[in-house]
Amino acid sequence: MSASISGFSKLSKSKKIDWIVDTYFSNTEDAKRILKQYWNSNDKLQQLHDEFVENTITNYYLPLGVAPNFLINGKLYTIPMAIEESSVVAAASKSAKFWMDRGGFKAHVISTTKIGQVHFMYQGNPETLKNYFKHIKSQLIEAAKPITKNMEKRGGGIVDVELRDKTQDITGYYQLHAQFETQDAMGANFINSCLEQFAKTFKDEALNFDAFTAEESDIQIVMSILSNYVPDCLVRAEVSCKVEDLTDDKTISAEEFASKFIQAVNIAEVEPFRAVTHNKGIMNGIDAVVLATGNDFRAVEAGVHAYASRNGRYSSLSHAKIEHGIFTFWMEIPLALGTIGGLTGLHPLVKLSLELLHNPTAKELMQIVAVAGLAQNFAALRSLTTTGIQQGHMKMHLMNILNQFEATEAEKTTLVEYFKTQVVTHSAVVEAIHQLRIKNEK
Ligand code: MEV
């Protein structure tokens, strides 16, 4: 039976758990045991996690894996990845090793501008509004100085603010469209604070602008918020090699592989159903590093997919070509990331992950994350166009199935060995466990 409750957030953690288990679980002791077994025995560490969000009742673990051998712009990295999908870290590692032997990944940041908007309603003369904006623009920036002072010391700040007329879309709708540079911070709080200050100055000072009628001076602010669409916060990642060096697989020639690979990319460029899955594979790599480094993967996801449809049709983020016997595979994607602020200084595993990456600047992290995405995409397309994806996936999934059946270490060793030469399917693994257990009983 479900129930509603008021004042839940005021209850202690153990009272919250009591209410949840009593309300929703038949075996209350078992539910409590499961929740509590994920508590950290270090009280301070547990309190840190409890306070990240409201109403924490336990911790939700994800594996933190690492993919070594990433050669990026001539520097070697071991990349931390927080992800539950069994084949992702293995695929990244394989791809990293493959490209390490072929000159590694090249990456560079194209731009770093972030966007925020004040959305407002104004029903008066558009020309008078334009004049008001011209008059008030420097004051908007000046009034935000207490917020921008520190960011300016670090080389960031407000890049520009413009007035945008959106009345073609909604009657009376205008924006203050602002560009920001936030250096090593993701900058969400900085941008939102600037925008809220813009909105206040813009509304308050309208009352003192003589050219407005009384009605015109009553500007209605709807909201002030950053945009997670950051097409001018762009990074490029690339790999290339001679076509003849493109495969270490004996079952397919380098030329045939290159041609099939490019066909697969071309299909994702023109076919949205495929493009979504293709890009999902890229995000397997991207999200895992974004999460490990304490960044906002929802923001990244939203921005990347919007970028993938910037030309009016959802399309592949990556591209491939052969020119003068050289195979090139590349991708340009928007990534708003930070290496200071937010979780980066708080979560011990995030700090550790950043240290593992040589404490990168935000620009360096953009390059690393883009490379992880490209590597993942390469691994997926390589499997898809040669062996098929299931071979690798099911090999990795084998361990999940064995764990589900609570296989002992000895059983795991035997069955992993057995499935080196057998096709892994769920039923084949179940059958093999069954047979092994019968044999062991005899
Ligand atoms: C699975 O998580 C990702 C893939 O589907 C990506 C792709 O199809 O390119 C394998």
Side-chain angles (χ1 to χ4, degrees), residues 85 87-88 274-282 284 376-377 379-381 383-384 389 393:
E85 190 173 326
S87 55
V88 169
R274 173 56 202 150
V276 171
T277 317
H278 178 98
N279 290 346
K280 188 273 183 185
I282 293 173
N284 277 345
Q376 207 66 47
N377 192 210
L381 292 183
S383 302
L384 286 168
I389 206 77
H393 266 203

